[in-house]
Amino acid sequence: MLKAPRSGLSSSARLSTLPREGRDTLFLLLVVAWVLLPQIGNLPLWCSLFAAGLLLARGWLAWTSGPLPSRWWMAGLLAVTLAATWATHRTLLGRDAGVTLIVVLLALKTLELRARRDAFVIFFLGFFTMLTNFFFSQSLLTAAAMLVALLGLLTALVNAHMPVGKPPLAEAARTAGWMALLGAPVMLVLFMLFPRMAPLWGIPSDGMTGRSGLSGTMQVGTMASLALDDSIALRVRFEGAPPPQDTLYFRGPVLSQFDGREWRAQYAGFGFENPREANLQVSGPPVRYEVTLEPNNRPWLLLLDAAPSPPQLPAQQTGRVFMTPDLQWMASRPLTDLTRYRAESYPDFRHGPERQSLRLQAYVDLPAGFNPRTLQLAADLRRDPRYANADAAAFVAAALEKLRTGGYSYTLEPGVYGRDTADVFWFDNKAGFCEHIASAFVVLMRALDIPARIVTGYQGGDINSVDGFWTVRQSDAHAWAEVWQAGRGWVRVDPTGAVSPGRIGSLARLQAPAGVFATAIGTVNPTLAANLRAAWEALNNRWNQWVLNYTQTRQLDLLKRLGLDVAGWEDLVRAIGVLLALLGAAGVGWMLWERRQHDPWLRLLAQAQARLRQAGVEVPAATPPRQMAALLARHFDAEADDRTAAVRDWLLQLEAQRYAPAASPERRAGLARLRRVFQQLAWPGS
């Protein structure tokens, strides 16, 4: 039964009067809560609430010095945990179920915190739970939070090894910080040299389902939601000056099949590789660049139009890379991790068949019964004498002119679109996002019997003034059209540019409503929020480039630049072995040097003090041997206990050695004898 704390004391006063066990338990609970906090978004709601309730209950017991629950309570709570985990995940294995279990087990274990060995189990579970945070996120923010958690756990661990008295936690924290600092060089060496062997290196993240981004299908209205997502899709670093923004088209899925409501890709996966069918012809100087693509759980490699050669990237990360007949580069497996690749694209290019063929018939198909007014518009254009002998280019120009002069607008709030989306755009709403405009344009082209298709991807981006990287966000997602013209092949047409020229070729974007915090900062200083975001994103980019994307290729390149001839992971293992041996030798050398810097008599005295404290004797720091012997005699009965008498005699002999000549052989021999005896002594209380 829980009992209330003594009344009449403030919380701070109560905290200062808590016994050491209660204070240490509360500190450890705070560290455990910090470890679990980042997991809240990844856990079932019941699990987060259950773990929080357990930690609060344990904290109350520590605060009130209440008794811990019986083993039957613990068995019941464990049974409930297993049943709830099974009901939630339908398994007790796997990442999500495993993390759920270990979180609750860690919280449950705190209710069994009775002895040091229980604390050590909590430390072990805490370190492992800390690592599970990286199953879901490896961002800089997560790493910083886990560094704090690591220092907290180390502080609790050091504190657990200080059993006597009530040492201040700050002292344990300083020791933990010093230990972490000493371990940092070893950590750095292991990070640089530890072999990145697939699939052991890196944990495939299957938690990409919640991410927004491009899709292999498109219903009119779905892409507008991406404009509200300001997260980063990819970063680009150009070699030399970046090309004009109106040429920055990062090609994604090409949608050519339309059932009246949804556009689908014709080449949607592995097995559609046939670069020759693309008939890509490039000219002019290439644009060379490096892309850092955020994980999206899709096999698409976003490249600038048009790349004739595959991007250079680690094969173990993406599998085989190929180009589909519609110029899209794809990997043979989804990209679940941050991916960096180098590529070369040519802004001047031609592709596709130059002559009419049966294969193009698929690009003029329209479902029956949809968009009757758009079909009528196409028929009227065909009958218009001005277009009696018009070719595809002339009809494209006519459609673009209609978009420019017909009162159409580019907006995130285009109103309600019904079944016939092209009709609604051309004749009713006259407003839409890029997908509305591109879809209506392609439907009109097909109604004119002109092969056309939709290309999705990203257009534009903005340059980060801090690090010079070109940042492409989800809000830069775009849809444009490609129209086939005899003798030219597929030609890019961006009808959105006709409605809103600012969308293409400048940084103008539709903006989502800002939050309260962003609005407040913008009111105080209009550029502060932008500068802060640029600095934070540049910092994250450095983290991505140098930590998350430190692949085996970069690892080997770096070592070669350092003059190490390393060809594979076998050489890395040997290099680690040599370096660890050198570090070990340096550590032994430092220890021997450090031992020589201290008086051996004082070192032996300190060992004796520590041993007495372990036996439960309160020994102040500057206590001489004779006084230690007296404290020992008061704590234990020296006359009745042979062990106490032996230790007392040993302390008195140690005192006698203090007055022997410092460099005399007799003193060295005497201290050596005392050290041997010290190792053989049977200490009271043990």
Side-chain angles (χ1 to χ4, degrees), residues 377-402:
L377 173 62
D380 291 344
L381 284 173
R382 283 287 185 193
R383 285 194 293 269
D384 191 326
R386 292 177 296 172
Y387 304 107
N389 298 313
D391 58 6
F395 283 116
V396 167
L400 294 179
E401 181 64 18
K402 182 175 179 63

Side-chain angles (χ1 to χ4, degrees), residues 3 179 236 251 269 313 361 370 380 419 425 441 658 670 685:
K3 59 182 182 182
M179 290 171 59
V236 185
R251 196 179 190 88
L313 73 171
Q361 183 60 38
F370 286 86
D380 291 344
R419 174 176 177 272
F425 175 78
F441 180 84
R658 186 60 173 168

Side-chain angles (χ1 to χ4, degrees), residues 214-397:
L214 296 176
S215 171
T217 62
M218 185 188 82
Q219 283 189 343
V220 174
T222 55
M223 186 173 282
S225 61
L226 286 181
L228 306 176
D229 184 353
D230 218 22
S231 62
I232 295 175
L234 62 147
R235 291 182 173 90
V236 185
R237 182 174 61 183
F238 292 101
E239 290 184 11
Q245 193 186 18
D246 59 358
T247 64
L248 296 179
Y249 284 85
F250 296 90
R251 196 179 190 88
V254 179
L255 311 177
S256 55
Q257 298 178 340
F258 185 49
D259 62 3
R261 302 189 62 83
E262 185 176 73
W263 289 92
R264 291 182 176 277
Q266 183 177 0
Y267 307 106
F270 188 71
F272 290 102
E273 53 184 301
N274 191 353
R276 285 186 300 177
E277 191 174 334
N279 191 28
L280 176 61
Q281 305 169 50
V282 299
S283 59
V287 176
R288 298 186 176 89
Y289 53 99
E290 182 180 78
V291 175
T292 305
L293 183 66
E294 294 290 324
N296 53 33
N297 209 26
R298 308 287 189 183
W300 310 320
L301 294 165
L302 293 157
L303 272 73
L304 283 173
D305 270 345
S309 304
Q312 302 170 18
L313 73 171
Q316 67 269 23
Q317 190 172 359
T318 59
R320 205 153 59 84
V321 173
F322 61 95
M323 184 172 70
T324 64
D326 50 23
L327 288 190
Q328 186 186 6
W329 282 99
M330 303 179 70
S332 59
R333 54 173 177 256
L335 306 177
T336 56
D337 297 300
L338 197 74
T339 305
R340 181 166 54 189
Y341 47 89
R342 299 180 61 81
E344 187 177 86
S345 297
Y346 291 78
D348 293 330
F349 65 97
R350 301 172 65 169
H351 76 289
E354 297 184 0
R355 296 180 181 180
Q356 183 65 264
S357 68
L358 288 176
R359 188 166 296 176
L360 292 172
Q361 183 60 38
Y363 298 97
V364 296
D365 287 345
L366 287 172
F370 286 86
N371 301 302
R373 287 182 289 171
T374 303
L375 299 182
Q376 185 59 47
L377 173 62
D380 291 344
L381 284 173
R382 283 287 185 193
R383 285 194 293 269
D384 191 326
R386 292 177 296 172
Y387 304 107
N389 298 313
D391 58 6
F395 283 116
V396 167

